[in-house]
């Protein structure tokens, strides 16, 4: 086991991986989602925000806890962006690609919608206008 004498970007990346592995069993045991936020640090000290979300009461058949959290967040903020909570999971065409709406990030004013490209499976940030124009058609 490596000993950390000072914190730096490289050892914090390794530490984040270990922490994520360690909390995954707790997450599964209690049916919650645990997210580690951004790590702030100095050479002597590091801090990370730990967020836990209870999802078991909102879980649909076959839905992972992480997917429940994304859906719950979308349903919470959809009306603030002029969207319907039922738009989560709908497919839209943006440019030449088809996307599935998989999330919303309310703090991202330019690209608040999270879409998964159906061709590649990659996740992209989408503009609200590009998504809303496809939902009304």
């Amino acid at each position: 086991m490596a000993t950390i004498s000072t914190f730096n970007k490289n050892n914090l990346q390794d530490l984040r991986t270990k922490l994520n592995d360690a909390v995954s069993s707790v997450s599964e045991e209690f049916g919650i989602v645990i997210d580690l936020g951004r790590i702030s640090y100095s050479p002597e000290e590091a801090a990370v925000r730990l967020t836990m979300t209870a999802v078991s009461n909102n879980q649909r058949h076959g839905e992972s806890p992480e997917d429940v959290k994304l859906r719950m967040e979308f349903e919470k903020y959809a009306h603030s962006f002029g969207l319907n909570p039922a738009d989560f999971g709908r497919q839209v065409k943006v440019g030449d690609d088809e996307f599935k709406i998989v999330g919303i990030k309310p703090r991202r004013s330019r690209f608040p919608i999270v879409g998964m490209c159906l061709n590649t499976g990659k996740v992209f940030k989408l503009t609200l206008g590009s998504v809303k124009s496809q939902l009304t058609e």
Side-chain angles (χ1 to χ4, degrees):
M1 179 183 306
T3 301
I4 295 175
S5 56
T6 60
F7 291 107
N8 61 53
K9 189 175 182 178
N10 292 331
N11 64 24
L12 286 172
Q13 284 177 328
D14 294 339
L15 191 56
R16 175 184 287 281
T17 301
K18 296 283 189 182
L19 288 170
N20 279 327
D21 291 345
V23 300
S24 68
S25 63
V26 175
S27 179
E28 288 178 27
E29 180 179 348
F30 290 95
I32 61 175
V33 174
I34 301 175
D35 288 320
L36 297 176
R38 183 182 344 185
I39 299 175
S40 58
Y41 67 96
S42 69
E44 302 82 29
E45 184 176 79
V48 62
R49 180 177 179 175
L50 179 81
T51 305
M52 297 178 283
T53 306
V55 296
S56 60
N57 290 341
N58 295 296
Q59 197 164 8
R60 296 177 180 161
H61 181 70
E63 200 173 37
S64 73
E66 291 79 14
D67 290 340
V68 175
K69 182 179 178 201
L70 292 171
R71 180 177 48 79
M72 287 171 52
E73 187 175 49
F74 187 89
E75 291 171 350
K76 179 178 179 180
Y77 293 108
H79 288 296
S80 300
F81 289 89
L83 298 171
N84 186 320
D87 291 334
F88 184 83
R90 287 190 57 192
Q91 294 181 10
V92 294
K93 184 170 183 161
V94 178
D96 294 332
D97 294 313
E98 290 278 337
F99 293 89
K100 178 180 177 182
I101 299 172
V102 296
I104 194 165
K105 299 292 182 187
R107 292 185 177 174
R108 287 198 312 227
S109 58
R110 286 192 51 168
F111 299 93
I113 309 302
V114 182
M116 182 181 69
C117 180
L118 297 179
N119 292 333
T120 64
K122 291 184 179 180
V123 176
F124 289 86
K125 302 173 196 173
L126 305 173
T127 65
L128 181 60
S130 66
V131 171
K132 283 177 81 171
S133 68
Q134 293 295 305
L135 290 173
T136 58
E137 292 181 355

